[in-house]
Amino acid sequence: MSYPEKFQGIAVADHKDWKNPIKIDYEPKKFYDHDVDVEIDACGVCGSDIHCAAGHWGQKKLPLVVGHEIIGRVVRVGPKCHTGVKKGDRVGVGAQVYACLDCERCKSDYENYCPDFVTTYSQPYKDGYVSQGGYATHVRVHEHFVIPIPENIPTHLAAPLLCGGITVFSPLLNNGCGPNKKVGIVGIGGIGHMGLIFAKAMGAEVYAISRSSRKKKDALELGADHFIATKEDPEWYKKFSSTLDLVVVCASSLTDVNFDELVKVMRIPGRILSISVPDNSERLTLKPMELPGVLIGNSCLGSRKELLELLKLVSEKNLKIWVETLPISVKSVHEAFDRMDKGDVRYRFTFIDYDKEFKR
Ligand SMILES: [Zn+2]
Ligand SMILES: [Zn+2]
């Protein structure tokens, strides 16, 4: 049995052996009137995939297909769909597949903070079905979370925008990134590299903040105007005292980020937004006394409206994020997981060649 009764995917079967996934067939969720089926052509590898696969966020229902930076073509459209999505459209699906679309947050275009949020993989819907992600032949999802992709963005470069890209773009957009603003990006591998590109494209003066100067050349090429290596210059926060209007923290671990130093480089009223979703055991530590006038907060994904805005920016300015492609397979998922775990990627993986791996 195959589509539409069954999907096929590459799944983590054991958190302890997460780097060795297996191929599985599984039943899709029930098809509702607002649902869309997407035949997948590519999927980015997000840090969340690693955290979830490795069990950093607790035991998940296994086997689990991760992946939430999906690009594909629409093959089925529910009878009540009204967003204009059509069969054959090239679309993206990010890290969210459901929201109530009726609460105050949803109605004000913050459905990414809806209390009924369902994430693209590993979370039960209200009917009990546990969502499965994009290392698979297909994904079935509510039309609101199916995003049209502008023609001039290549598929492998579009995929990482759907989670990583929007996650760093949303706090930039919502906190005044633009001309005459000085914006810092902390942690410039992975998602951070997109932060540098977007902040520059939005017109800000951009500061790349990293522990060592290993990525300095890349950061300047990506659009940073300044580079700060915090571990190589213990006085860095004195040199850049009261400089930045906005900082987005993209480091995968917050334990390593020294917030006591970071607040000193902020102008008043500066804002520090973290987008990290680290291991369950991590805690953020800072001295409350050092905080006067600086706001610290968290930002999670982005809305459909913000995603459309990001795609418009990337399309109009022809922005190119840095992506390594791998042909989807059990072997490639192993390789991507292993290299991501070691931080060995410049700066994002996208799985491609789905037609070669999956008979559909
Ligand atoms: Zn809602
Ligand atoms: Zn993600």
Side-chain angles (χ1 to χ4, degrees):
M1 206 163 41
S2 60
Y3 177 82
E5 284 80 23
K6 291 260 177 158
F7 293 176
Q8 193 174 60
I10 294 172
V12 173
D14 177 356
H15 287 309
K16 288 197 194 78
D17 193 27
W18 63 280
K19 286 186 189 171
N20 291 304
I22 55 167
K23 211 166 184 182
I24 60 161
D25 287 347
Y26 57 98
E27 271 180 38
K29 79 178 197 77
K30 189 169 176 280
F31 191 92
Y32 293 103
D33 286 351
H34 282 279
D35 281 345
V36 170
D37 280 354
V38 176
E39 190 171 289
I40 301 175
D41 289 322
C43 186
V45 181
C46 182
S48 301
D49 301 353
I50 306 297
H51 280 303
C52 206
H56 297 160
W57 296 339
Q59 178 69 43
K60 301 295 179 191
K61 183 174 181 278
L62 302 175
L64 174 69
V65 177
V66 298
H68 59 204
E69 297 181 333
I70 299 167
I71 304 289
R73 284 155 292 112
V74 173
V75 290
R76 184 181 176 191
V77 178
K80 288 195 180 155
C81 286
H82 56 69
T83 52
V85 63
K86 294 185 309 299
K87 252 177 138 174
D89 287 355
R90 188 172 65 129
V91 295
V93 177
Q96 183 175 12
V97 285
Y98 185 79
C100 79
L101 302 180
D102 196 38
C103 69
E104 198 281 333
R105 292 178 180 186
C106 283
K107 282 180 172 163
S108 45
D109 285 317
Y110 290 112
E111 72 274 14
N112 48 318
Y113 297 102
C114 175
D116 290 343
F117 183 114
V118 176
T119 187
T120 302
Y121 55 78
S122 81
Q123 195 180 347
Y125 281 91
K126 272 194 188 132
D127 66 6
Y129 182 88
V130 176
S131 55
Q132 297 276 21
Y135 301 177
T137 54
H138 300 82
V139 65
R140 178 168 293 168
V141 48
H142 188 287
E143 61 166 331
H144 185 84
F145 303 96
V146 175
I147 314 293
I149 304 296
E151 217 170 289
N152 70 336
I153 307 178
T155 290
H156 70 291
L157 300 185
L161 302 176
L162 272 296
C163 176
I166 187 60
T167 298
V168 68
F169 180 68
S170 176
L172 292 170
L173 185 70
N174 290 320
N175 294 283
C177 180
N180 305 316
K181 288 289 162 72
K182 296 184 177 181
V183 174
I185 302 290
V186 173
I188 58 170
I191 288 182
H193 100 276
M194 293 188 254
L196 297 177
I197 294 172
F198 302 156
K200 185 68 182 174
M202 293 163 93
E205 187 173 334
V206 181
Y207 292 70
I209 304 172
S210 192
R211 273 176 292 181
S212 75
S213 50
R214 199 164 52 90
K215 292 175 188 151
K216 180 173 181 176
K217 190 171 156 283
D218 285 356
L220 298 177
E221 205 176 312
L222 286 160
D225 300 288
H226 311 269
F227 187 91
I228 301 170
T230 57
K231 286 279 181 285
E232 291 170 14
D233 182 4
E235 303 272 281
W236 76 278
Y237 60 92
K238 292 182 187 161
K239 259 184 229 162
F240 293 92
S241 171
S242 307
T243 301
L244 301 177
D245 300 288
L246 170 64
V247 163
V248 179
V249 178
C250 303
S252 56
S253 161
L254 287 184
T255 306
D256 292 340
V257 177
N258 188 328
F259 283 87
D260 296 331
E261 289 177 1
L262 199 52
V263 293
K264 294 188 173 69
V265 302
M266 303 307 295
R267 293 177 69 192
I268 309 299
R271 294 190 187 190
I272 301 173
L273 273 296
S274 165
I275 58 166
S276 299
V277 271
D279 190 287
N280 267 344
S281 62
E282 285 210 21
R283 293 291 178 272
L284 187 151
T285 54
L286 50 87
K287 283 190 215 137
M289 284 293 282
E290 304 283 343
L291 268 178
V294 176
L295 305 176
I296 296 187
N298 192 59
S299 178
C300 176
L301 299 175
S303 64
R304 177 184 174 93
K305 192 176 166 209
E306 290 165 355
L307 248 173
L308 292 171
E309 199 156 331
L310 169 62
L311 290 165
K312 188 165 169 268
L313 178 82
V314 170
S315 168
E316 282 179 1
K317 303 221 166 185
N318 206 14
L319 304 179
K320 297 265 187 284
I321 62 168
W322 292 9
V323 167
E324 285 188 48
T325 57
L326 289 170
I328 182 93
S329 69
V330 166
K331 190 171 149 276
S332 292
V333 174
H334 169 82
E335 183 187 337
F337 280 2
D338 193 49
R339 288 184 52 197
M340 287 275 283
D341 198 30
K342 294 175 184 148
D344 171 26
V345 55
R346 285 171 80 241
Y347 279 107
R348 211 71 181 169
F349 284 118
T350 300
F351 292 126
I352 56 167
D353 288 347
Y354 274 55
D355 281 338
K356 285 188 195 147
E357 177 65 15
F358 297 116
K359 313 275 171 285
R360 13 180 218 197

